[in-house]
Structure formats: C-alpha cells, structure tokens
Amino acid sequence: MKVAIVTGGSGGIGRCTARSLAGAQCRVFEFSRHEVAAEGVEHITCDVTDEDAVRAAVAEVVRRAGRVDILVCNAGFGISGAAELTSSADAHAQLELNLFGMDNSVRAVLPQMRAQGGGRIVCMSSIAGILPIPFQLWYSVSKAAIDAYVLALQNEVRPFNISVCAVLPGDIRSGFTGARRKTVEEGAYAGRVARSVAKMEHDEETGMSPEQAGAYVARVALLRRSSPLKALGVPYKAAAMAAKLLPRRVSNYIVGRMYAK
C-alpha cells in the first residue's frame, strides 16, 4: 500500500485528490490547519508555512506508516488586484504559502524518499504560471516559480528514483474563488480590475468540478514518472501548447484582451 500526503487537503481539489488516492487503496494523510472529516483520509493539523510544523507532521506520518511514497503539494490561495496597489504584505503572503509552503513540504519528505529508494512529488501550479494573468500578477508569479522549481528539482533528485511534476489546472469550481483575497480598487484601475475579476470568477464558477480535477491529480500522482508540466483539461492543454508555439507578444496580447480590457 502506497502512503500519500496531500497538503491543503481539507477542501476543493486537495480534498478530492485525497479521497481519490484513498479510493486507489493508498493510505492518505492530509495536512491542513482545520480538520474536515473525509472518509479514508487521516488528518494532521499543520500550517505548511511553518517549517518546523511540516517536519513534525511528516515525521508523524513516517512514525505511523513507515514511509512516504507520494507528496501532493496543493495548499495555496489567490489574490487579485493591480500590482501597483497590492500591499507588500499581501504579495509576500501569496508567495509564503503557494511557493515556500510547497518548498517546506518537499524538503521535509526528500530525506525519507531518498532513504526508502524513491517517491513521487506532485506540485499544484496553474495555467497562469505559463500565461500570466493581469490583475492576478502575484498569483501568476507564484505559479511560474513553482514551474521553475519543479523543472530544476526533477534533475536534482532523478538519481534517487524520485520523480517530480507540476499539474497546471485552469478554471475549477471550488472554494478557491470565494477565498480569493481582493485588493479594494479605486481610481485609474477600478473598472478594469472589476471586469477582470468578474470574468475570472465566472469562468471558475462554470469550470471543471473539483472531483474531476482531484481524480486527475491522483492519477498523475500514482504514475512512476511523467512529463514535468501537465496541463489539466483539454482547453488548457491547448492553451499550454499555444504558449509554446505562439510568439510571446501574441499570446500575451490575447491574454490582455481577455483579462485587462
């Protein structure tokens, strides 16, 4: 039986990923600040921005289960607003959870994975990491950084039979929309930000279900290896391909027309 850890596993994609892994006969531990009971999933209270807490939580998993085969780094949130008006504190908080919380989790499991001879790490990125979205600048930055982290880490840990990938979702119907931290906009940006955020939220509320997304993430996590960046859903696979093939000036103009009018 494989042993899996899912961070941010109390809701949305994380909760559905944890349940899908449990349904695939894995022993699953979810790390989150608040326990929300999920059948077949063991909760450990943990704030992934606290490095010591993450190390202690991983040690507890190893104490109970003896190993860690899969880590899914899902904990994260989004902020929106014009970069000029976003506070430094909000920008730092975005990176602290989305990027450095992921790094805390990865560094905590790597010694165990090396010692046992292998493992699988899946990090939740976003299509915004390769097609940055205006007025979600710091969210896009955090996801682009995750993509770079995954690509570099894959080569660092390959000799230890550890594989790494990032999953790039697009619009998902989940609690992410309601949890978005919005900067109150006034003056020059106000109308454009409001239109951009309204479009984002409409697309999310009509997007893929978290159950579908979680099932996909679980399938990717159960693979021994895969391509390092995997877009989730046909439209976003097409968008990822377009980002590779089109001149950056063209793809960025298209995104601007969609989200910055």
Side-chain angles (χ1 to χ4, degrees):
M1 177 183 291
K2 289 186 175 181
V3 177
I5 295 171
V6 179
T7 71
S10 61
I13 296 176
R15 180 178 174 85
C16 293
T17 298
R19 292 178 66 179
S20 291
L21 286 169
Q25 307 306 310
C26 295
R27 184 173 182 184
V28 183
F29 297 84
E30 67 93 359
F31 292 0
S32 58
R33 291 176 299 169
H34 308 292
E35 181 172 5
V36 180
E39 185 177 353
V41 177
E42 301 174 52
H43 169 77
I44 295 178
T45 301
C46 179
D47 179 347
V48 297
T49 65
D50 182 335
E51 183 177 2
D52 291 337
V54 176
R55 290 188 182 279
V58 170
E60 177 63 14
V61 171
V62 174
R63 186 190 71 79
R64 294 190 203 176
R67 58 188 298 113
V68 178
D69 298 290
I70 295 168
L71 169 67
V72 178
C73 295
N74 173 77
F77 77 108
I79 63 175
S80 66
E84 180 183 350
L85 302 178
T86 299
S87 71
S88 177
D90 281 348
H92 281 249
Q94 180 79 104
L95 295 178
E96 192 64 40
L97 179 55
N98 290 12
L99 178 61
F100 296 112
M102 177 200 71
D103 176 58
N104 287 339
S105 304
V106 169
R107 287 187 293 109
V109 302
L110 281 176
Q112 176 61 37
M113 287 185 172
R114 283 192 292 102
Q116 70 195 25
R120 175 75 162 157
I121 297 171
V122 176
C123 301
M124 293 302 295
S125 179
S126 168
I127 200 69
I130 57 174
L131 290 168
I133 301 175
F135 306 122
Q136 284 198 97
L137 183 150
W138 283 108
Y139 177 77
S140 300
V141 167
S142 74
K143 298 304 186 178
I146 288 172
D147 294 346
Y149 183 104
V150 162
L151 290 167
L153 183 67
Q154 182 186 50
N155 284 325
E156 292 186 12
V157 300
R158 182 179 283 118
F160 309 120
N161 195 34
I162 299 170
S163 65
V164 190
C165 86
V167 174
L168 284 60
D171 298 310
I172 307 293
R173 292 195 311 274
S174 71
F176 178 88
T177 302
R180 180 179 283 114
R181 189 179 301 174
K182 302 175 185 178
T183 301
V184 176
E185 305 292 346
E186 296 179 356
Y189 296 100
R192 294 172 65 217
V193 173
R195 287 191 295 273
S196 180
V197 173
K199 176 169 175 50
M200 294 173 203
E201 294 189 341
H202 173 269
D203 291 346
E204 289 164 357
E205 289 165 355
T206 57
M208 180 184 289
S209 73
E211 289 81 9
Q212 289 175 289
Y216 178 86
V217 175
R219 288 196 299 272
V220 170
L222 289 165
L223 297 173
R224 289 189 59 188
R225 57 183 57 86
S226 68
S227 59
L229 304 179
K230 295 186 69 65
L232 197 173
V234 173
Y236 302 103
K237 291 181 187 295
M241 183 61 67
K244 291 180 182 178
L245 298 178
L246 291 175
R248 177 56 74 176
R249 176 179 60 85
V250 174
S251 63
N252 206 42
Y253 175 79
I254 293 169
V255 171
R257 294 295 297 169
M258 293 173 66
Y259 292 106
K261 292 190 294 182

